[in-house]
Amino acid sequence: MAETIGVDANGYIRTVAHGPLQAAFLAVIVDLRSMLLGPLGHRVHSAYLYGSVARGDAVLGRSDLDVVLVLAGKPALQDDIEIEAARRALETRHPEVLKVDFDVGFLEEVLALENLHRWGFWLKHHCRCIYGYDLAGDIGPFIPSRKIARAVNGDFSNVLNGYAHRIGTESDPVAIARLAREASRKLIRATNMLRPIASSSWPESLEDHLALFVRTYPQMAQHAAFFHSFAAPPGDEPLQVVPSDFVDRLRAFSALMLQEL
């Protein structure tokens, strides 16, 4: 029998441990908190870290700073503009992170019952609060299910199509490599949507996602490994991307996933 991964002794999906944050990333987190207390403060209900910085396994200069912002109310266009300007400024000031990502929601949306398996799950199991009232404390734990996987990754086709277009029209090799990395990571995580209904495991790393996917789709192992090479390349240098080949493979894999849903 295959090993069960990613769950606790009661079968619940594991939550992020709240140990000390890595010293190398404290400056960018302090800067983010200052922004939340200052320029963004009147808009933001609460803010959360997720990803490698939240888990404590980020790599200096190679990991992203992933942030959820829950706004007090539905944002207007000017709010979106100012939040994006703040994100870009934070990213520019802190080369210790490869990129700064803000996932933005608003309180009514996040608390809506129909979004429990998307927002509720994400806050409870992937996030640690760094500002404001921690909504995760009001949410019970989840067990592995397709419903969660599909709620979290249901946008994958549109997102991957967007990456395919941007890679196909970009001329800067550095930008292409960054986009290929992001697209590959999104694709690999989206494979969880095809998880067996009876599976009691929950993937935590990219490697977990691949292992669980290949158990069910062994014929796709080589294709999945191709994207893993761009999602987590060895060494410090990104892999060389052949845009037309990458885009063709990305579209083909995405189409296969749609057919299997």
Side-chain angles (χ1 to χ4, degrees), residues 51 75 119-120 132 155 157-158 163 188 193 256:
W119 278 111
D155 64 348
S157 182
N158 288 337
Y163 276 119
I188 290 170
M193 297 176 69
L256 178 140

Side-chain angles (χ1 to χ4, degrees), residues 223 248-249:
H223 301 288
D248 287 347
R249 289 171 179 256

Side-chain angles (χ1 to χ4, degrees), residues 16-260:
V16 175
H18 286 194
L21 293 165
Q22 293 166 274
F25 300 97
L26 289 179
V28 66
I29 295 168
V30 168
D31 196 354
L32 172 61
R33 283 186 175 130
S34 296
M35 291 171 56
L36 296 170
L37 290 168
L40 300 181
H42 67 287
R43 296 181 176 88
V44 179
H45 167 274
S46 50
Y48 308 80
L49 300 178
Y50 70 95
S52 58
V53 175
R55 294 190 305 268
D57 57 12
V59 179
L60 189 64
R62 293 180 59 189
S63 293
D64 300 340
L65 180 70
D66 297 309
V67 182
V68 168
L69 297 181
V70 178
L71 306 184
K74 188 174 182 178
L77 177 60
Q78 187 60 35
D79 296 319
D80 291 336
I81 291 171
E82 293 182 16
I83 289 169
E84 174 59 13
R87 185 200 67 77
R88 288 179 178 272
L90 187 67
E91 187 174 86
T92 298
R93 290 195 297 270
H94 292 279
E96 64 268 33
V97 293
L98 187 63
K99 183 184 178 185
V100 175
D101 272 326
F102 283 176
D103 288 348
V104 181
F106 58 95
L107 193 58
E108 183 180 0
E109 172 191 34
V110 169
L111 295 179
L113 185 60
E114 62 266 27
N115 291 325
L116 177 65
H117 289 85
R118 177 178 170 236
W119 278 111
F121 163 75
W122 198 255
L123 293 177
K124 183 67 177 182
H125 289 277
H126 285 276
C127 296
R128 54 188 299 179
C129 187
I130 59 165
Y131 173 86
Y133 178 78
D134 186 0
L135 295 169
D138 298 332
I139 302 168
F142 293 76
I143 61 172
S145 73
R146 271 191 177 180
K147 188 170 185 177
I148 297 170
R150 295 185 177 188
V152 170
N153 296 291
D155 64 348
F156 84 96
S157 182
N158 288 337
V159 172
L160 294 180
N161 280 334
Y163 276 119
H165 175 74
R166 292 167 67 188
I167 291 169
T169 56
E170 179 60 66
S171 58
D172 179 7
V174 175
I176 290 171
R178 176 179 56 79
L179 292 169
R181 172 182 178 270
E182 294 173 11
S184 297
R185 294 170 76 86
K186 176 65 177 180
L187 182 150
I188 290 170
R189 291 182 177 124
T191 60
N192 196 34
M193 297 176 69
L194 302 180
R195 58 185 290 109
I197 293 174
S199 175
S200 58
S201 287
W202 191 261
E204 296 179 307
S205 65
L206 293 177
E207 291 71 28
D208 288 345
H209 280 84
L210 283 178
L212 294 174
F213 175 67
V214 170
R215 282 184 199 171
T216 307
Y217 295 89
Q219 72 276 19
M220 295 297 294
Q222 187 174 354
H223 301 288
F226 170 83
F227 289 104
H228 184 251
S229 70
F230 290 97
D236 296 326
E237 295 299 322
L239 297 182
Q240 185 68 36
V241 181
V242 179
S244 58
D245 178 59
F246 186 90
V247 166
D248 287 347
R249 289 171 179 256
L250 187 67
R251 291 192 188 278
F253 204 123
S254 180
L256 178 140
M257 288 180 60
L258 278 175
Q259 290 174 6
E260 293 294 314

